[in-house]
Amino acid sequence: MTGGPDVARAATWATLCSGLLIAAQVAGKATRDALFLSSFDITSLPGVLIVTSVASIVAVLIASRASTRWGPRQLFVGTSVLATTLHGVSWALVSMSHDRAAALLVYAQTSVLGAIGISAFWSRVNETFDPRSARSLFSRIAGGGTLGGLVGGLLAERVAAYLPIASMLPMLALLSMGCAVCSLRIRIEGVQPARPGPAASDAADRDSASNTSATGTSALKTLASVSYLRDLALLVVVGTVAATLLDYVFKAQASASFARGPELLRAFAVFYAIAGLLTFLAQLSLSRWVLERGGIAVAVSTLPGVVAAGGIAALALPGLASAAIARGAETVLRSSLFRSGYELFYTPIPPDEKRGTKPIIDVGFDRAGDVLGGALAQGLLVVAPVLAGRLMLFLAAVLGLVGVLVARRLARGYVHALERGLMTRALELDLDEAADHTTKSTLLRTLGGMTLERTSLPGALAAARRSGAAAGAQTGGAPRPSTIPPPGVNDLTTTRFAALRGGDAAAVTSALAEVRPTDTLLVAQVIALLAWDDVAPAAGEALRRFGARITGQLVDALVDAKSDFAVRRRVPRVLGTIEDRRATDGLVSGLADRRFEVRFQCARALALRPKGELDIPRETVLEAVERELKVGKRVWASQRLLDGFDDVGPSPFVDEVLRDRASRSLEHVFTLLALVLPEQPLRVAFRGLHTDDRALRGTALEYLDSVLPDRIRELLLPLVEIEVPRAAPRPAERVVEDLLVSKESIDRRLFELKDQPAPRPEPSPAAEADES
């Protein structure tokens, strides 16, 4: 299971709460339907449905504002306690022979509070678990709900066999109170609930009326401006209208086939119990498999697809059996495959937006679908009472096909929502623009104590350089290339050539500053000077002044395995500044070099070029990524750069904070991926992998899960998931304890880690051979 014991404990309580919630929901629906149809005619159903749906829309606006201000935890507990109270009131009404009033109250309560409670519960779960954990845990939590649905249906059936319908009401009250108690236990130590956004915080300082207006308007504006949320709302409306039409046809057939009272309750209880059993089996055997193999699109598309098929089948074979199968299939898939996939659509949405909009979508638009479905049913009963049932089935089938199309579009928008979810947290992790200590220390609060393999290699520079000259050793071992000035050159060129071959670094640097773009005869000598650490920056600047006219010579120096390694690893920094297709091609060819640092520098040079000028085949880049990921774990952990952090040029992913913690292998892979994927989300994801912020790390992993090809994902994710924090020698339990105690201890530990040298990994034989 993703996460530690706290995550497992929270998931267990969430699963239990889900079971109690859906048990109360299923048993409540059976009781609601039996009470209503025992007190009213079936033709009254559409009108009551419309009224309760409108009431639900009003209630969900209130719930949305409450969720924004106080959070889904308080909203869920509040609705559970209110449901407990109302069940007691309904029981009292029945005992006083006010059956019709009790039936209407139970119908309204189940329709209004039931949907709000489910939405608040899943919002609570969404904010507790990160997106990566959510994918592995949501099927389990939803499975608890489906098992609860089975138990709720069986409970209603057994009660109906021996007791009056009203005997279910106190049992429903107990189930609702159990939901409230379990919800309070769903928490992960050290993970604080997301704080309300600025709009909600400002509104909390005002009076209640102002707060209600502000938060409600904000949620509706967000819903109107974000197309992803609008598509979610459309999916809910289309699915609910279709379900309402199927539901009416089924209940009309059941009402005509069974006597009122306990017999009708038993019929509905058996129906919901069988649906609960099939839902449990589907959740147990299919949900996770479908999510992992087919993805969210397939999981969510199953519901509208089966609705379309069920509507067509019921049209072809009219009767109670076909109506029950169509309605039952819709119920089963809605609570299993659809629910598991649908809730994942919300995981990348920032909590500020989710808290306000999720209740509106889940309940408000669901009830809007009920209103539309009830109005359609009522209209058909008035206009064409004889054909009303068949027309409802036809419309349900059409809406099912529309739902499939909407689900497919939503799946495509899921990746963009993940990017957006990462970007909303980018400010917390983006340290590049923080110039002062106070700002950096504040931003560092979100960075955890993960220390990856250290990438520095003290003393390796001198051993790696292969200079052929003996002169100049007293000044740091200046290289003395065998190149001699060609005959017939003028005195100025000869003078500069001689100066460039001198052993004094200051004099050579001065001579490099005098090199002009027309001194092409000096190019070979200047390239050779890239191997001399003290003058390499000046040599690079001199080469850049030549521009595209020396591209061929630079590419030759890069790809020639016999060239000095120090030259080969520094040439890419020059090529990266030359606007020439040959330079790009040369850098791409360097991605296949046998030396890691050459590949690293070629990728970085390509990443720093304008994206519009690259035109590198996607498959070429992915093949390079695949090669890097197949080197093996020991080589992966041992790959380092001979040049220091300040000498290798700017990195799009690593700054001073991560310089001694980020794996160079991981940085190189992300640099390559940035050539074919959006850089900014990758940049934030890279930082997220180096933090103990559970939500951000999970979102980063989920983003990579969604955008990487299968073969790359299978190789990369195991490498980034096994990287663990490295700290000063002390018990790991103490480190974890410090991280969880308080923010102050986290900040203190971070600064300790920043100042302490990270352990140097043991190099692998392959890595040692590469560096020799």
Side-chain angles (χ1 to χ4, degrees), residues 405 407-416:
L405 298 177
R408 294 288 179 177
R409 186 167 67 179
L410 264 172
R412 291 192 295 269
Y414 178 67
V415 172
H416 299 297

Side-chain angles (χ1 to χ4, degrees), residues 58-116:
V58 175
V60 78
L61 291 175
I62 299 173
S64 173
R65 294 155 187 162
S67 179
T68 302
R69 182 169 186 178
W70 293 299
R73 179 189 183 192
Q74 287 80 355
L75 176 62
F76 181 72
V77 172
T79 56
S80 298
V81 172
L82 181 57
T84 302
T85 304
L86 292 178
H87 281 309
V89 172
S90 300
W91 191 26
L93 288 173
V94 173
S95 65
M96 292 185 291
S97 300
H98 298 303
D99 292 358
R100 285 201 161 202
L104 291 174
L105 180 58
V106 170
Y107 198 101
Q109 172 193 340
T110 305
S111 301
V112 176
L113 292 185
I116 292 176

Side-chain angles (χ1 to χ4, degrees), residues 103 143 182 209 228 281 309 343 438 485 499 614 705 747:
C182 289
Y228 182 72
L281 294 176
E343 292 299 336
T438 302
L614 288 178
D705 239 352
D747 292 340

Side-chain angles (χ1 to χ4, degrees), residues 296-318:
I296 298 177
V298 174
V300 175
S301 297
T302 53
L303 175 63
V306 166
V307 166
I312 294 172
L315 274 173
L317 300 170

Side-chain angles (χ1 to χ4, degrees), residues 441-496:
S441 64
T442 301
L443 296 179
L444 268 170
R445 291 174 186 168
T446 58
L447 291 174
M450 180 181 292
T451 305
L452 303 182
E453 307 292 354
R454 186 175 177 86
T455 58
S456 61
L457 183 61
L461 294 174
R465 189 191 312 135
R466 296 178 298 166
S467 178
Q474 72 280 6
T475 62
R480 298 296 302 274
S482 58
T483 308
I484 59 175
V489 299
N490 57 45
D491 292 339
L492 182 57
T493 302
T494 303
T495 301
R496 289 176 179 168

Side-chain angles (χ1 to χ4, degrees), residues 270-327:
V270 169
F271 171 79
Y272 286 121
I274 294 175
L277 175 61
L278 295 177
T279 300
F280 176 72
L281 294 176
Q283 190 72 36
L284 189 66
S285 60
L286 292 177
S287 288
R288 188 165 184 174
W289 183 83
V290 170
L291 280 173
E292 291 179 353
R293 298 298 180 88
I296 298 177
V298 174
V300 175
S301 297
T302 53
L303 175 63
V306 166
V307 166
I312 294 172
L315 274 173
L317 300 170
L320 176 61
S322 61
I325 291 173
R327 178 62 174 139

